Structure formats: structure tokens, C-alpha cells
Amino acid sequence: MNNAILVYASMSGNTELMATYIAEGVREKEIQLDVKECFEIDPEELVNYDGIIIGSYTWGEGELPDELLDFYDEMDHLDFHLKKSAVFGSGSTLYSNYGGAVDLLVEKLKQIGADIIADPLKIELTPTEKDEIVCKEFGRQFAEKLIAS
């Protein structure tokens, strides 16, 4: 059976809400999924999972939030070859680098060998009812691709 983890950083609750919706979509496909905030897990634990989903809000002009910086840096020495991954996050289009943290996480995962199996998902601020549907579908599609691999 495939197992997956969803790790996220959230300040205002927007990314946490996205994580909840995405997790619902993944679990609909009967994937064993653990959900944790980034400070609850050591990045080395990620290698124990077949699928890895990481979510973050974007701080300022496209930066990672402070609570994710150590986690992000500690991923440098990990080998994610054969790991299926996806990234999501909330942001604001008021900034020129909308959802920049999502882009940084995608690049990090690629650098350490992960196979990105879903297009990155960015949601403007608080997820709407329409965004809830999009998040759940993101989770379902991730799970389907994980199962198929």
C-alpha cells in the first residue's frame, strides 16, 4: 500500500485549510496519509513515505516563512529519488512574486531528486468554496498518480 505525508506551514490558517481539503481528496483514494505541521517533523522522516506533499504560505515578496526555513535547509542532504511529490500554498496577488514559496519548494524537491507528479497549486488568500473543490481534486489526482506509479 502506498503511504504519503502532507507537511505544511500556515500562519493565518489559509494553508492549513488547503491542507485539510487536499488530505480529504487523497484519503478518498484510500492512501495512508499523515498530516503534520512543519515543526512537528524532522525532514529526514520524509524518506519513509512514497508520496510527499508540502504546503506553505508565501511571506512578503515571495519568501519562505520563518517557520519553514530550517526544514527547507535540512532537506538539502536528503535523497528523494523515487519519491513522488507535490507542492501547494496560499499567497496574495498583491505581491509581484505570487506564491513564491511554492516555487521555491518545487525547485528544492527537484534538486533532491523528487518526481513532481502534480502541477503546483496556488490559492489566493483564504480558500473559497470553489477552491475547496480544486484542493480536493488536487489531492485525488496526486493519490491516483501515486497509486499508478
Side-chain angles (χ1 to χ4, degrees), residues 22 86-88 118-119 121 134-142:
I22 291 167
V87 180
F88 70 95
D119 290 335
L121 176 62
V134 170
C135 289
K136 287 180 181 177
E137 183 60 23
F138 178 85
R140 282 190 290 272
Q141 288 180 6
F142 176 83

Side-chain angles (χ1 to χ4, degrees), residues 125-145:
L125 301 174
T126 304
T128 63
E129 287 181 22
K130 181 179 175 183
D131 295 329
E132 176 182 353
I133 294 166
V134 170
C135 289
K136 287 180 181 177
E137 183 60 23
F138 178 85
R140 282 190 290 272
Q141 288 180 6
F142 176 83
E144 288 170 359
K145 290 177 182 176

Side-chain angles (χ1 to χ4, degrees), residues 51-68:
I52 301 158
I53 307 170
I54 301 178
S56 178
Y57 66 96
T58 296
W59 182 253
E61 291 293 333
E63 297 100 38
L64 292 167
D66 286 347
E67 63 267 33
L68 195 60

Side-chain angles (χ1 to χ4, degrees), residues 58-92:
T58 296
W59 182 253
E61 291 293 333
E63 297 100 38
L64 292 167
D66 286 347
E67 63 267 33
L68 195 60
L69 291 176
D70 288 341
F71 186 94
Y72 178 86
D73 290 340
E74 290 170 15
M75 289 173 57
D76 282 340
H77 69 278
L78 300 177
D79 181 0
F80 272 29
H81 288 88
L82 304 178
K83 301 297 179 189
K84 307 301 180 190
S85 301
V87 180
F88 70 95
S90 60
S92 173

